[in-house]
Amino acid sequence: MTINLITFASNVHKSSMVRSAHEPVLSELENYYTLNFIDYKEIDKLNPSDFSIVFIATGGVERYVMQHFESLPRPVIILADGMQNSLAAAMEVSAWLRTRGTKSEILHGEPVNIAKRIQVLYNNFQAQRKLRGMRIGVIGTPSAWLIASNVDYLLAKRRWGVEYIDIPLDRVHDLYDQITDDQVGEACAEFASKALAIREGSPEDILKAMRLYRAIKQICEEENLQATTVSCFKLIDHTETTGCLALALLNDEGIYAGCEGDLQSIFTMLVVHSLTGKHGFMANPSMINTRTNEIILAHCTIGIKQTEEYIIRSHFETGIGIAIQGILPTGEVTIVKCGGESLDEYYLGSGTLTENPNYINMCRTQARIKMNTSPEYFLKNPLGNHHIVIQGNYVDLLNEFFIANSCKKVEN
C-alpha cells in the first residue's frame, strides 16, 4: 500500500533535514507502507483516488495550507510527530479547517499506533471510493408503508456519491413475458436439487420466480447497476410471483438487492459490503424481549450463500410464489441501519445469533439474536423497520466509518 505524504515544510528548513528530523515515525511507517513524499507545491498533480496524508513537517506552514485548501484530500488526515514545531502547526491548521466545515484528524503519538490508525483510515477511504459512482436501481416505487425510509436522491449523491435510478415496473413486466420456461428450466432444477426441502411451491412457481430473476438481472446489466431495490408486492399482479428468489440470487452474484423499494436499507447493504466484504440479511425486527435482550428478525429472502441450508417455501404474506427459509450459522453478528433523507444517521448493535426459529406467523427466514446491549432502541428510537444483519462483529469498523463521515449515531 502506497501513501502520498503531502509535505508542508517552512522555507527556513532545508529539505534534506526534513527526513532526518522525523526519522522515528517515518521509519516505522515504512515497515508497513510505501511512502511517496510529495511537495505541497505539487499537490494539484495528485490523483484523488490515491490515499494521501498531509505531513506537517515544521512550524510556520499554516498559510501554505490555507493557500492549497481546495486541493487538500478529504477528510484531511494530518501527520505531526511534534518535531520542528509540527504538532503546534497541525493544531492551528486543524482549528482553521474546522471553521471551514472540513473534518480533520491529527495523527500523533507512538509511531506503531499511528501506523495502526492509518490502516483504519485507509479502510474508510477505500470504502468511500467504492461507494462513489455506484448506481442503485429503484424498480417501481417504495412500498406505501415505508413512510420513514425516504432518501433525497440529490443529497445522497452529494454526500456519498451514489446515484439512485428510477426504473418503471413495466420494463420488468415486458422482459418477464419474453423469458420462456425452457430458458430457466435448468437453473430451476439446480436450485430445487440443492434445497434441504420443498415445503410449498410447485414447479410452475419456481419457473415463474426464476423468470423474474432473469428479467431483473437483465435490467441490472443494461443499466449498469451495482444494487437494486424492488417494489416486489407490486410485481405480483402481473407476474403472479414474488421477488424473493430473484433478490436471493442477485445478492449471491454480487448485485446487492433489497425488498419493498427500501432506499435506506439498500444503501446500508452497499456500505456493509464496501467495508467488510460481507453480504447482509435485510430483515424486519419481529419480536423483542427487553428482559432477555433478545430480538427475532425475519424476512422471506436471503442470499443462498449466507445460509448453511435452505428450504423452499411460499411467500409469507401472500402464500404464493417462492420464498427462501435460510438456516443461518450461529455466532457473532452485527446489526446496522443507515437512515435519514441524506443517509446521515445510523444504528449499530452486536450480539450472538443463537437459533433459527420457525414461527408460523413470521416471514420465512428467522434469526434469534441475543444482543450485547439492551434492544430498547428498536422500541424507543428506531430508524424504520428493516435492518441489516451481517455475520461477525464489525461494530468498531463500521462505527469508525460513520464517524469519519459525520453521521449521527442513534442510541436507545
Side-chain angles (χ1 to χ4, degrees):
M1 168 182 152
T2 299
I3 301 173
N4 293 321
L5 282 184
I6 305 169
T7 306
F8 287 85
S10 170
N11 292 332
V12 301
H13 293 79
K14 295 181 180 180
S15 58
S16 60
M17 299 293 292
V18 170
R19 172 76 199 212
S20 60
H22 304 280
E23 186 65 32
V25 68
L26 296 177
S27 294
E28 180 65 26
L29 293 182
E30 286 178 331
N31 289 331
Y32 304 91
Y33 314 112
T34 299
L35 302 183
N36 183 27
F37 292 87
I38 305 293
D39 187 275
Y40 72 90
K41 297 172 186 175
E42 306 292 319
I43 191 172
D44 291 334
K45 297 180 180 180
L46 290 176
N47 189 328
S49 64
D50 294 334
F51 185 59
S52 301
I53 292 176
V54 173
F55 176 32
I56 302 296
T58 73
V61 300
E62 294 86 346
R63 192 157 296 277
Y64 303 155
V65 177
M66 288 177 60
Q67 292 168 354
H68 292 82
F69 170 67
E70 295 297 335
S71 299
L72 295 177
R74 301 295 197 277
V76 184
I77 305 166
I78 304 171
L79 174 64
D81 63 356
M83 300 297 103
Q84 303 292 324
N85 287 322
S86 60
L87 181 58
M91 293 173 66
E92 190 74 12
V93 166
S94 179
W96 183 81
L97 289 171
R98 187 173 64 252
T99 67
R100 298 299 184 273
T102 300
K103 190 175 181 63
S104 65
E105 177 179 339
I106 299 173
L107 299 175
H108 179 77
E110 294 293 330
V112 65
N113 292 332
I114 291 175
K116 291 178 181 178
R117 180 61 183 164
I118 286 175
Q119 186 61 56
V120 172
L121 296 171
Y122 177 74
N123 289 340
N124 289 344
F125 171 80
Q126 287 285 78
Q128 289 170 320
R129 187 169 68 170
K130 289 176 184 176
L131 286 172
R132 294 202 170 274
M134 283 194 169
R135 291 164 59 84
I136 303 172
V138 183
I139 298 179
T141 56
S143 296
W145 50 87
L146 296 181
I147 59 175
S149 301
N150 190 39
V151 168
D152 185 303
Y153 288 11
L154 181 58
L155 292 178
K157 187 171 184 178
R158 286 177 177 173
R159 184 180 186 84
W160 297 104
V162 298
E163 186 174 4
Y164 286 88
I165 313 295
D166 287 325
I167 298 169
L169 283 177
D170 287 347
R171 282 187 62 183
V172 180
H173 297 162
D174 292 343
L175 289 171
Y176 175 83
D177 291 340
Q178 294 171 24
I179 296 168
T180 66
D181 290 348
D182 288 342
Q183 289 175 299
V184 298
E186 185 176 342
C188 290
E190 181 180 4
F191 166 68
S193 68
K194 292 181 178 180
L196 177 64
I198 301 176
R199 295 277 175 80
E200 299 99 7
S202 65
E204 182 182 7
D205 291 327
I206 299 177
L207 287 166
K208 289 179 179 178
M210 194 66 72
R211 286 168 57 201
L212 181 58
Y213 152 70
R214 290 285 181 89
I216 296 174
K217 181 180 179 181
Q218 184 171 333
I219 290 174
C220 291
E221 292 172 346
E222 291 173 355
E223 295 290 341
N224 189 29
L225 303 178
Q226 286 72 50
T228 185
T229 182
V230 181
S231 182
C232 35
F233 279 85
K234 295 179 181 178
L235 284 169
I236 296 173
D237 289 342
H238 183 88
T239 64
E240 297 181 336
T241 190
T242 62
C244 305
L245 177 60
L247 302 182
L249 297 179
L250 288 169
N251 276 303
D252 282 352
E253 294 178 1
I255 299 173
Y256 311 102
C259 315
E260 301 171 37
D262 189 328
L263 307 176
Q264 296 176 1
S265 292
I266 191 60
F267 174 76
T268 307
M269 294 172 76
L270 283 177
V271 169
V272 163
H273 190 266
S274 295
L275 270 172
T276 70
K278 294 276 188 174
H279 292 268
F281 169 38
M282 174 182 167
N284 295 313
S286 299
M287 189 176 292
I288 295 168
N289 188 326
T290 56
R291 181 181 59 83
T292 62
N293 287 354
E294 289 183 315
I295 178 172
I296 296 176
L297 293 105
H299 231 182
C300 279
T301 185
I302 186 169
I304 305 298
K305 291 181 180 179
Q306 297 177 50
T307 71
E308 292 182 331
E309 295 179 305
Y310 65 92
I311 300 168
I312 297 175
R313 302 290 306 273
S314 63
H315 182 243
F316 166 64
E317 284 92 343
T318 63
I320 66 172
I322 296 297
I324 308 295
Q325 181 178 355
I327 311 301
L328 307 183
T330 57
E332 283 192 295
V333 295
T334 303
I335 302 175
V336 57
K337 174 68 179 283
C338 300
E341 288 198 350
S342 60
L343 300 167
D344 59 352
E345 297 179 293
Y346 70 102
Y347 165 78
L348 268 175
S350 63
T352 302
L353 197 158
T354 60
E355 181 190 6
N356 290 267
N358 191 22
Y359 290 100
I360 62 171
N361 55 351
M362 291 184 190
C363 290
R364 303 309 189 187
T365 296
Q366 302 171 17
R368 185 190 302 276
I369 297 169
K370 174 80 170 179
M371 301 292 293
N372 292 329
T373 57
S374 170
E376 289 187 350
Y377 146 82
F378 294 98
L379 302 177
K380 293 182 177 179
N381 209 16
L383 289 172
N385 64 346
H386 297 129
H387 286 66
I388 308 303
V389 182
I390 52 176
Q391 296 166 14
N393 190 329
Y394 294 96
V395 167
D396 291 342
L397 182 66
L398 288 162
N399 200 47
E400 283 279 0
F401 177 79
F402 290 126
I403 290 173
N405 286 280
S406 302
C407 296
K408 177 185 177 183
K409 188 174 184 179
V410 177
E411 306 281 2
N412 290 347

